[in-house]
Amino acid sequence: MLRYIVRRLLLLIPILIGVSLLIFFWIRALPGSPAEALLGERATPALVQAYRQKYGLNKPIVQQYFTYLKTTAVDRDLGVSVASHRQVWSEIRLKFPATIELAVAAMIFAVVLGIPLGFFAAKHHGRLFDQLTLVGSLLGISIPIFFLAIILKYLFAVRWHLLPSVGRIDVTANVKHPTNFYVLDAIITGDWSTLWDVLKHLVLPAIALGSIPLAVITRITRAAVLDVQNEDYVRTARAKGLPPLTVDRRHILRNALLPVSTIIGLQTGLLLSGAVLTETVFAFPGMGSWLRDAIFNRDYPVLQGGILFLALVFVFVNLIVDISYAIINPRIRYS
Amino acid sequence: MSVAELEAAEIALEAPAGGLWKEASYRLIRNPAAIAGGVLVLIFVIAAIFAPLIAPYKPLEQNLSLLKSGGIPPGPSLHHLLGVDLLGRDVFTRILYGARFSLLIGVVSVAIGLTVGLILGSIAGYIGGIVESVIMRCMDVMLAIPGLLFAIGIVAMLGPGLYQIMIAVGVVNIPIFARLLRGSVLAQRENDFVLAARSVGVRRRVILFSHILPNAISPVIVQGTLAMATAIIDVAGLGFLGLGPQDPSTPEWGTMLTDVNDYLQAAPFLAIIPGIAIVLSVLGFNLIGDGLREALDPKLRGR
Amino acid sequence: MRGNLRKLALPLAALCVLVVASTAGGASRATTLVFAGAADPTYLDPALVSDGESFRVTEQIFESLVKLKPGTTLIQPALAKSWVSKNAKDWTFSLRHNVKFHDGTPFNAAAVCYNYNRQYNFKGPFQDASATYYWQTVFGGFKHNESADLSPSLYIGCTAHGKYSVTIHLRTPSGPFLPAQVISSFGIQSPTALKKYGADSGELRNGTFYPTGSYAFSHPTGTGPFKFVSWTVGEKTVLAANPNYWGPKPKIKTLIIRPIANNSARLQALQTGEAQGIDLVAPEHVGIIQSNSKLKVLNRPSFNVAYVTIHQGTGSPMNDIKVRQAVAYGLDRASVVRSFYSGRGQVAQEFEPPQLFGWTNKVTKYTYNPTKAKQLLNSSSCHVPCKVDFWYPTGVSRPYMPDPKRNFEAFSASLEEAGFSVTAHSAPWRPDYVKHVNDGTAGDLNLIGWTGDFGDPDNFLGTFFQTYSPQFGFKNAAIFNILSKAEKQKSLKKRIALYKQANIMIMKYLPAVPYAHSRPALGFEKTVKGYVPSPVGTDPFEGVSIGGQ
């Protein structure tokens, strides 16, 4: 097991180096020189010179890359946002918790609904419920999430006044946020009305963002259950005369959930992409709407730092999923 | 993009040998969902190709006098089947022309992803060793950046515009196809007919092109269909984020939808029509892709 | 397993019901007003900002010597009770007694001088236009200018006479000086707080000024009707009523200003009760608010102009007056205003809004006439089809130009009709577009506009046309001279005559084509009373009350 983890961690190194190289060269490929790209269009000659000095941009490119690695990884200096003039790193600390909360809520929505749906569809294989679930899940994949978000918001917030339409929290509430994870903050302080309020703000964005994972998880669960159902050990269990419920739970679902768990890792990337669109619609102050604004403001330091950070998160989530998968399923370690 | 990748994971690696194509097409025809998808895609393609013949108006023809007070466009009528947009242009006409752009963007971007992915994937799969490691690690790096963000990065680099979007969406598809191809080629490499060909001294390149690739192609077809669907959605997403075509009058569905986001309450049909057009065409490709997979997947046969 | 899933389904269903049963918002808010603008403030030190969203907050915390009568551009007393100037050079203000800053320190003549001298003595990064835009606009330069681009300061000193009288000395006579003092950047701040919280430390980051002290983020201290409480970036700025305010006390206890960038999202926040008032209502949303029995629309008096820049320069076809006239005749301004301003705009005949002195009906008018435009082109140096590059901004909605893209599309079609061949270019509003326009690199034609800061024609005509600017690229001594003369003229009557004459000259010469003055809309719950929108966009909240809930 340890060997597997170590191997997996070692595999991470080339990927991290690759990602940093990709972003490093991306910035250099942007219109204008890197200093100008990072300074925005306000760059005066004097400023460009100072910037080149600071980040070693007049040195050979290989040396520049190592300087970039050092300032990013060691000094955690991602530069300063062109729009807000604040440190990119301190903005990430502010925005990232919002996106994590949203992504987790979306994933919970998708898992809690998707697994039972997929399971029942497989159990009713070929029948109406199965067909409806399949078509429904295809439809779920076919709707652009920003379109779904706009429609949901219009109906549930504007038309029927059931849920809030913007932001993370009721602005008239006077609460402190020690961690910036609002759900966590509310639980720590035992402030249940705030918790309720924060959850209400999460519902619509989470449904919109969770629509595609929901469809995918439903389909994967269904396919996995269909696969497992005919395995020898399931037949054996049935033949032994175990009650159907026990077989369903112990033999079918447990094994069928293995592929589903890897999906969760792969879906993280989709959630982070989708957050850009969802957060824009719901004016949700997370990484997504922040990066979207950065595109408009040509805020290259934010784009550079933000995308790098999200890529790292994505890579690490997949690592954790892989490792936990290997723990659950010993066969994988030796493949 | 990750969805497509997942779908790819579902595709079985064993390809149907020779005569299976016939059986597969037979199964496809008997699948009502795939037929529905086929009809949707057919309508979409016909609309795209024959837009100038079908369309009652010109896509850029403005008629500001049609607008109601406050610049609100009137709803559907006999003269304008789907109403007019905020500049008094016929929405039906623009939807037809929009199909052209979506089809064009979809085909070109998938072609980019497929061609490059095919080359890299089959090289990696066939040659193996250090070449494979290098190529596949590069693909891993590309996959490490969430798809839409990657596309945004490319558009930021190349500037907004139709071709830039095609390239961006295409590049994002490369690692997905490369992984798929490599997997297929790996599976085929050890097959009996390949070993046989090798033992009689057929050259490697010939084996790759005449034996391995044709047999590895069926998952690629499935993936290509599904990638068309995601391409249309991704392009709409880029349009929604304001990274659509440079000329604002281009009748591109995503841009049309974005435009009217602000008008959802004043003129809801304006937002809903391009939305439905996107959903239906994407659904069409997804249904066909799904049907194809079931038809081509030996594991699912007989179920 | 099925049983288990059913067990799970029950609490899920209960959760759904609960969510549906509870309504959004709903806290008791009779004393709290939530107002939504488009963005966060930049900083809260008014001397260092120049945007409307910052001023929306600083205007409540700080007061200047003079202020605008609500809803107008007329000057009235604020921290100064009265003022006098014989030569328009030395201005003596007598100050209000017994006023205290929010930190309890007294307001007096020394505090006034401290504030003006603070900006006059700014050094280093503080002299960057991104830090002190309005000081530079009104006073030109500083005591020790560090850049050759800065002109000598118009302000040269301040004398305190006892506690409650102060004289401000100018280098030359100036008509716009007094009206300009209403700008929030000249609000009087507590000298004690400025020093205590490091207001005078700052640096350039990425070429833009950034204050490094905590004053501009968490300790703004003035004399205004509201005190600063907190600012959560991206979420809200909270202000509380100042119980010791010298004037009529605010009727609400708490004022929350929140940023919602998207027009639809802002409207929806009003509809759901997540905001009780919103600014910058898009024209197409006005009807929606009006048809809602709980909401109302307020009008901001028109004090802006949208125009099409005509860029002249070496080799440009626009150097030919006939081509410029063809542009003016080829822009279907009436259709654009009718279609995209929802009855909230009027076609602009000239660059000044009609409410301002100096406006005249005697200017040359150019109604849409494609035939005439073609004739003009064919007799000019640029025959039909005359090729022009036409730029428009993306990702932005301005009060004077709510939908630039659609304005562009309609103008572009009407110019094509009039014999031009238009090439479209777009760029994101900030920083690319504005920079290209200012540098004169945004094509032959581009869309842009202006919202007035204070009630003086100099703020419109002087800003655009008093000197050579790369944006327009023309040199016309007659226009430059008359505007400089008008700025320094002491007699108001003579100034009015000069500005009228200038307007006529400008519309003959056509350095640009003005096309709309808009009346921006605000949306409110009907229970909100006493809100008076200001033409310059800095609305007071002290008179606002929430009743009838």
Side-chain angles (χ1 to χ4, degrees):
Chain A
M1 189 66 224
L2 196 66
R3 266 189 59 195
Y4 174 78
I5 295 179
V6 169
R7 209 182 67 197
R8 202 59 192 71
L9 278 172
L10 286 178
L11 214 66
L12 211 58
I13 295 170
I15 295 194
L16 292 184
I17 292 175
V19 169
S20 65
L21 273 173
L22 194 66
I23 290 175
F24 175 77
F25 282 107
W26 170 65
I27 284 291
R28 269 144 195 84
L30 288 170
S33 75
E36 275 159 358
L38 287 168
L39 284 170
E41 303 258 344
R42 298 188 128 270
T44 60
L47 218 58
V48 171
Q49 201 45 47
Y51 207 82
R52 293 174 69 92
Q53 202 73 42
K54 183 174 172 198
Y55 289 97
L57 292 176
N58 29 19
K59 304 231 169 71
I61 191 111
V62 179
Q63 205 177 335
Q64 280 184 42
Y65 174 69
F66 285 108
T67 319
Y68 163 75
L69 271 191
K70 186 190 165 280
T71 48
T72 308
V74 182
D75 310 340
R76 281 194 305 187
D77 178 3
L78 299 179
V80 171
S81 159
V82 173
S84 74
H85 322 309
R86 294 185 177 84
Q87 290 288 341
V88 170
W89 177 244
S90 62
E91 296 234 308
I92 288 179
R93 274 188 310 198
L94 218 63
K95 313 269 180 188
F96 185 61
T99 301
I100 282 292
E101 265 184 10
L102 177 56
V104 169
M107 198 43 98
I108 290 177
F109 164 75
V111 167
V112 165
L113 217 57
I115 291 179
L117 272 179
F119 182 77
F120 285 123
K123 289 257 122 189
H124 298 86
H125 181 56
R127 276 184 266 162
L128 185 66
F129 182 76
D130 185 31
Q131 302 287 350
L132 283 181
T133 310
L134 270 184
V135 172
S137 68
L138 270 183
L139 205 62
I141 298 176
S142 304
I143 299 179
I145 56 173
F146 61 91
F147 185 58
L148 180 65
I150 291 171
I151 302 284
L152 280 178
K153 178 178 170 188
Y154 178 62
L155 292 178
F156 286 90
V158 178
R159 210 55 186 278
W160 300 327
H161 292 270
L162 296 175
L163 290 162
S165 70
V166 286
R168 293 176 74 186
I169 193 168
D170 179 1
V171 288
T172 56
N174 188 16
V175 283
K176 293 258 181 296
H177 305 297
T179 66
N180 280 322
F181 287 96
Y182 287 8
V183 174
L184 210 62
D185 289 339
I187 294 174
I188 292 170
T189 54
D191 186 345
W192 306 121
S193 65
T194 302
L195 179 66
W196 180 232
D197 177 55
V198 172
L199 289 177
K200 277 199 302 191
H201 280 82
L202 275 172
V203 173
L204 290 180
I207 292 178
L209 187 56
S211 65
I212 292 180
L214 169 64
V216 173
I217 287 176
T218 306
R219 290 163 61 87
I220 302 278
T221 310
R222 176 182 171 275
V225 170
L226 283 181
D227 263 359
V228 173
Q229 240 172 5
N230 297 324
E231 294 282 347
D232 292 342
Y233 58 85
V234 175
R235 288 194 198 142
T236 315
R238 286 225 176 88
K240 272 199 304 191
L242 285 179
L245 275 180
T246 315
V247 178
D248 277 355
R249 190 173 53 212
R250 276 209 202 136
H251 297 91
I252 299 183
L253 203 60
R254 188 176 288 175
N255 283 295
L257 285 185
L258 282 175
V260 175
S261 65
T262 44
I263 293 309
I264 293 173
L266 284 171
Q267 289 291 308
T268 316
L270 193 78
L271 288 178
L272 297 178
S273 286
V276 179
L277 299 163
T278 319
E279 289 181 6
T280 302
V281 174
F282 290 101
F284 200 85
M287 296 275 292
S289 48
W290 183 55
L291 287 175
R292 190 248 181 200
D293 292 345
I295 304 167
F296 272 114
N297 298 336
R298 292 285 168 88
D299 200 337
Y300 291 135
V302 166
L303 283 176
Q304 181 192 20
I307 293 181
L308 179 70
F309 184 78
L310 286 186
L312 291 187
V313 170
F314 185 40
V315 168
F316 275 103
V317 169
N318 275 308
L319 174 75
I320 291 166
V321 169
D322 280 0
I323 291 176
S324 51
Y325 189 60
I327 293 173
I328 309 171
N329 185 2
R331 272 175 298 180
I332 201 84
R333 280 175 235 161
Y334 308 104
S335 63
Chain B
M1 278 150 252
S2 292
V3 181
E5 188 201 337
L6 288 168
E7 304 284 352
E10 276 185 72
I11 302 168
L13 295 179
E14 307 108 281
L20 273 180
W21 285 104
K22 218 174 186 180
E23 199 190 319
S25 54
Y26 175 70
R27 263 203 304 272
L28 194 63
I29 294 170
R30 294 215 323 176
N31 181 346
I35 296 295
V39 172
L40 285 175
V41 170
L42 199 67
I43 294 174
F44 172 67
V45 173
I46 289 176
I49 295 174
F50 298 107
L53 298 177
I54 310 169
Y57 299 88
K58 293 209 176 73
L60 301 183
E61 191 180 314
Q62 299 179 6
N63 190 348
L64 292 177
S65 62
L66 288 174
L67 302 180
K68 293 190 286 191
S69 74
I72 305 297
S77 66
L78 275 179
H79 293 285
H80 298 277
L81 288 177
L82 298 177
V84 296
D85 74 359
L86 300 160
L87 286 157
R89 297 177 295 210
D90 184 53
V91 172
F92 181 56
T93 304
R94 288 176 68 76
I95 289 286
L96 290 177
Y97 277 88
R100 295 198 126 185
F101 281 102
S102 292
L103 186 66
L104 183 72
I105 296 175
V107 168
V108 174
S109 61
V110 170
I112 293 173
L114 194 122
T115 318
V116 183
L118 190 99
I119 295 169
L120 292 178
S122 37
I123 290 176
Y126 197 73
I127 298 178
I130 185 100
V131 177
E132 179 185 17
S133 293
V134 170
I135 291 180
M136 293 326 286
R137 288 298 83 74
C138 288
M139 297 298 106
D140 286 348
V141 168
M142 287 171 81
L143 283 173
I145 298 177
L148 187 68
L149 289 175
F150 198 5
I152 288 171
I154 296 172
V155 176
M157 196 166 87
L158 304 173
L162 217 52
Y163 301 108
Q164 289 86 334
I165 294 172
M166 292 179 193
I167 294 172
V169 176
V171 169
V172 170
N173 269 321
I174 290 175
I176 299 170
F177 281 106
R179 274 194 165 186
L180 185 67
L181 253 299
R182 171 179 162 269
S184 286
V185 171
L186 274 184
Q188 298 291 323
R189 199 165 60 172
E190 306 306 323
N191 256 352
D192 291 345
F193 61 89
V194 175
L195 294 176
R198 203 179 286 168
S199 65
V200 295
V202 180
R203 283 218 310 253
R204 290 216 301 189
R205 207 185 309 158
V206 178
I207 296 181
L208 180 65
F209 282 105
S210 54
H211 296 279
I212 296 185
L213 279 184
N215 284 296
I217 212 73
S218 71
V220 174
I221 293 174
V222 175
Q223 180 58 29
T225 321
L226 296 170
M228 277 293 291
T230 35
I232 295 174
I233 286 201
D234 287 343
V235 170
L238 287 175
F240 176 73
L241 292 174
L243 299 170
Q246 180 87 357
D247 183 352
S249 10
T250 311
E252 194 275 309
W253 289 347
T255 316
M256 284 168 75
L257 187 67
T258 313
D259 273 4
V260 292
N261 183 14
D262 281 353
Y263 289 76
L264 185 66
Q265 296 183 50
F269 67 95
L270 266 187
I272 290 167
I273 288 167
I276 289 177
I278 294 173
V279 172
L280 287 183
S281 58
V282 172
L283 185 64
F285 281 107
N286 275 331
L287 283 170
I288 289 197
D290 227 35
L292 272 175
R293 176 174 41 226
E294 280 189 30
L296 292 170
D297 185 347
K299 261 171 49 187
L300 293 172
R301 217 169 300 147
R303 278 213 193 129
Chain C
M1 186 63 218
R2 279 188 214 174
N4 276 14
L5 285 174
R6 283 207 189 109
K7 270 181 224 157
L8 196 66
L10 200 68
L12 264 180
L15 186 76
C16 292
V17 170
L18 271 174
V19 167
V20 168
S22 74
T23 49
S28 78
R29 284 168 166 177
T31 55
T32 300
L33 181 80
V34 181
F35 187 89
D40 265 312
T42 312
Y43 314 120
L44 296 174
D45 180 343
L48 305 176
V49 293
S50 56
D51 64 291
E53 293 297 346
S54 300
F55 285 161
R56 193 192 301 286
V57 177
T58 59
E59 187 75 8
Q60 317 309 324
I61 303 175
F62 301 100
E63 294 170 293
S64 303
L65 293 174
V66 290
K67 66 177 179 186
L68 293 177
K69 188 174 169 215
T72 71
T73 53
L74 305 172
I75 306 291
Q76 69 173 34
L79 286 177
K81 284 189 293 188
S82 62
W83 53 89
V84 60
S85 175
K86 291 220 169 66
N87 52 8
K89 262 175 79 176
D90 303 297
W91 297 76
T92 301
F93 298 85
S94 61
L95 306 179
R96 205 167 287 281
H97 295 224
N98 300 323
V99 175
K100 282 202 158 50
F101 288 107
H102 299 152
D103 59 1
T105 55
F107 162 80
N108 52 34
V112 173
C113 285
Y114 183 89
N115 273 271
Y116 279 89
N117 285 328
R118 172 184 178 230
Q119 298 204 47
Y120 178 50
N121 285 297
F122 271 155
K123 291 185 186 71
F126 285 83
Q127 292 200 4
D128 192 82
S130 63
T132 41
Y133 173 83
Y134 275 113
W135 177 270
Q136 295 184 32
T137 303
V138 174
F139 294 109
F142 301 88
K143 190 172 184 185
H144 303 289
N145 284 340
E146 293 172 22
S147 155
D149 298 340
L150 293 167
S151 46
S153 176
L154 177 67
Y155 171 93
I156 46 171
C158 174
T159 318
H161 319 283
K163 271 166 92 175
Y164 296 113
S165 174
V166 70
T167 303
I168 287 174
H169 307 284
L170 304 182
R171 186 180 303 276
T172 54
S174 170
F177 162 74
L178 187 71
Q181 298 315 299
V182 303
I183 299 172
S184 194
S185 293
F186 306 114
I188 305 300
Q189 317 190 43
S190 157
T192 318
L194 285 172
K195 282 179 246 175
K196 187 169 165 194
Y197 299 108
D200 290 341
S201 61
E203 63 188 28
L204 286 183
R205 289 188 172 178
N206 288 349
T208 304
F209 179 81
Y210 186 85
T212 48
S214 64
Y215 181 84
F217 298 100
S218 42
H219 298 286
T221 312
T223 59
F226 289 91
K227 295 198 288 189
F228 174 81
V229 177
S230 70
W231 173 22
T232 315
V233 176
E235 207 164 79
K236 59 181 173 180
T237 310
V238 183
L239 305 178
N242 172 9
N244 304 318
Y245 186 53
W246 58 265
K249 309 246 181 325
K251 297 185 176 113
I252 49 173
K253 289 216 167 68
T254 311
L255 170 61
I256 296 175
I257 296 175
R258 66 185 302 188
I260 304 178
N262 179 282
N263 284 344
S264 301
R266 208 157 48 243
L267 168 73
Q268 289 166 344
L270 179 68
Q271 290 172 312
T272 58
E274 288 163 272
Q276 287 129 302
I278 59 170
D279 200 353
L280 307 166
V281 173
E284 69 269 19
H285 292 160
V286 169
I288 298 169
I289 297 179
Q290 278 165 341
S291 63
N292 185 324
S293 62
K294 286 187 183 141
L295 304 178
K296 64 179 175 186
V297 170
L298 293 186
N299 300 319
R300 186 180 295 292
S302 175
F303 201 58
N304 56 38
V305 61
Y307 62 91
V308 179
T309 304
I310 302 181
H311 178 72
Q312 304 181 43
T314 343
S316 165
M318 298 300 158
N319 296 349
D320 187 340
I321 176 69
K322 284 191 176 148
V323 180
R324 298 205 297 277
Q325 285 167 347
V327 170
Y329 283 116
L331 292 168
D332 190 355
R333 300 181 288 164
S335 282
V336 164
V337 171
R338 194 179 54 238
S339 305
F340 309 124
Y341 285 78
S342 298
R344 314 193 63 79
Q346 60 185 99
V347 175
Q349 293 180 18
E350 57 206 80
F351 286 87
E352 256 188 49
Q355 294 79 350
L356 198 55
F357 66 86
W359 185 87
T360 167
N361 203 15
K362 293 199 183 103
V363 295
T364 321
K365 298 174 185 83
Y366 303 84
T367 29
Y368 180 53
N369 190 338
T371 333
K372 191 159 182 184
K374 273 186 197 156
Q375 284 167 3
L376 280 163
L377 280 184
N378 280 332
S379 67
S380 81
S381 52
C382 190
H383 290 272
V384 176
C386 179
K387 283 192 182 148
V388 288
D389 274 358
F390 193 172
W391 284 55
Y392 71 95
T394 56
V396 69
S397 166
R398 308 298 293 170
Y400 49 79
M401 183 169 62
D403 196 340
K405 192 163 130 182
R406 243 172 290 285
N407 290 359
F408 169 82
E409 286 183 85
F411 276 148
S412 165
S414 83
L415 283 173
E416 293 269 354
E417 196 71 22
F420 289 91
S421 158
V422 177
T423 311
H425 289 277
S426 68
W429 174 255
R430 207 176 49 148
D432 299 15
Y433 187 78
V434 176
K435 178 173 165 71
H436 279 295
V437 170
N438 288 339
D439 292 353
T441 50
D444 304 308
L445 305 174
N446 58 57
L447 295 180
I448 192 93
W450 179 259
T451 300
D453 301 309
F454 53 92
D456 195 281
D458 181 63
N459 188 230
F460 282 83
L461 302 182
T463 309
F464 307 142
F465 306 125
Q466 194 165 341
T467 52
Y468 167 85
S469 86
Q471 181 191 349
F472 301 102
F474 71 94
K475 288 185 181 128
N476 183 315
I479 292 177
F480 296 166
N481 285 341
I482 191 166
L483 290 174
S484 298
K485 214 165 121 192
E487 186 191 357
K488 296 197 172 69
Q489 176 56 247
K490 274 170 276 177
S491 141
L492 183 62
K493 224 172 123 189
K494 283 183 191 156
R495 287 190 77 206
I496 295 175
L498 284 169
Y499 281 117
K500 282 188 174 172
Q501 204 187 329
N503 274 315
I504 293 168
M505 284 164 68
I506 290 165
M507 286 314 290
K508 271 213 184 86
Y509 183 73
L510 283 175
V513 185
Y515 70 89
H517 301 298
S518 79
R519 203 153 42 100
L522 297 92
F524 280 91
E525 284 181 4
K526 275 192 177 146
T527 51
V528 178
K529 309 235 162 65
Y531 190 99
V532 184
S534 153
V536 299
T538 45
D539 310 334
F541 281 89
E542 61 259 38
V544 176
S545 65
I546 308 170
Q549 269 190 332

